[in-house]
Amino acid sequence: MKSIQQWLDEYGESHQNSFNKIIHYICVPAIYMTVVGLFWSIPFPFADLPVWINWATIIAVGVIGFYFALSFMVGLGMFLFTVAVVAFLMWWQSAMSVSVLTMSVVVFVAAWILQFWGHKVEGKKPSFFKDVQFLLIGPAWILCHGFKKINLKY
């Protein structure tokens, strides 16, 4: 398995343009949230469980495991971000008239349009065309940029 730094360096090769980076700083977390929201929206067969136990949180366990395998700090950061996403989706579901599914689809489509626009400006294809695992590296790349800003080792 590649190290976290190898993944980040390879991902960073197609994310050099400042415009593309800004788009990614906004859209990658939004896409992560919407993917969780899409899985959240799949009916769960056990209705008597707490609302936060559903397909999204079950799948998140494996995703968070991937991040912890790369780095303890990345795993911890992505765990905390995922908890924030789940809290947001629980709030959205209870407070908003638009469903989590509708919100997730709209934001997902808009964010991907912006991401492809950023790559068009960059002049490089998205990394996931090379390896689908880069879909999980994008959020870690954003997180690690934040870590660098506050001098936190990942």
Side-chain angles (χ1 to χ4, degrees):
M1 184 156 130
K2 293 180 189 176
S3 72
I4 184 64
Q5 194 58 56
Q6 289 171 314
W7 279 114
L8 297 175
D9 290 345
E10 194 171 345
Y11 187 86
E13 290 172 9
S14 60
H15 301 88
Q16 298 295 312
N17 178 279
S18 60
F19 178 74
N20 192 26
K21 284 182 179 181
I22 290 168
I23 285 177
H24 277 67
Y25 294 151
I26 297 165
C27 292
V28 167
I31 290 168
Y32 186 92
M33 183 265 307
T34 62
V35 169
V36 175
L38 292 170
F39 283 113
W40 185 278
S41 300
I42 299 171
F44 196 67
F46 307 106
D48 57 333
L49 294 174
V51 68
W52 61 269
I53 299 177
N54 55 45
W55 295 118
T57 55
I58 290 171
I59 291 167
V61 170
V63 171
I64 299 302
F66 171 79
Y67 289 125
F68 271 110
L70 291 175
S71 155
F72 177 80
M73 288 304 294
V74 170
L76 182 60
M78 290 307 299
F79 170 77
L80 294 173
F81 179 64
T82 302
V83 167
V85 165
V86 167
F88 172 77
L89 293 174
M90 287 175 60
W91 169 81
W92 186 278
Q93 185 172 317
S94 67
M96 304 303 280
S97 61
V98 175
S99 71
V100 167
L101 177 61
T102 300
M103 177 275 299
S104 295
V105 168
V106 170
V107 173
F108 182 87
V109 170
W112 274 109
I113 289 169
L114 289 170
Q115 294 260 93
F116 281 108
W117 180 28
H119 279 285
K120 182 173 174 57
V121 170
E122 175 99 29
K124 296 180 183 167
K125 292 180 183 178
S127 301
F128 74 87
F129 285 151
K130 181 179 178 184
D131 186 337
V132 73
Q133 291 180 86
F134 280 113
L135 291 171
L136 292 175
I137 298 304
W141 184 75
I142 302 293
L143 179 69
C144 289
H145 274 269
F147 283 170
K148 282 182 186 177
K149 295 259 187 219
I150 60 172
N151 294 320
L152 193 61
K153 294 192 184 238
Y154 51 87

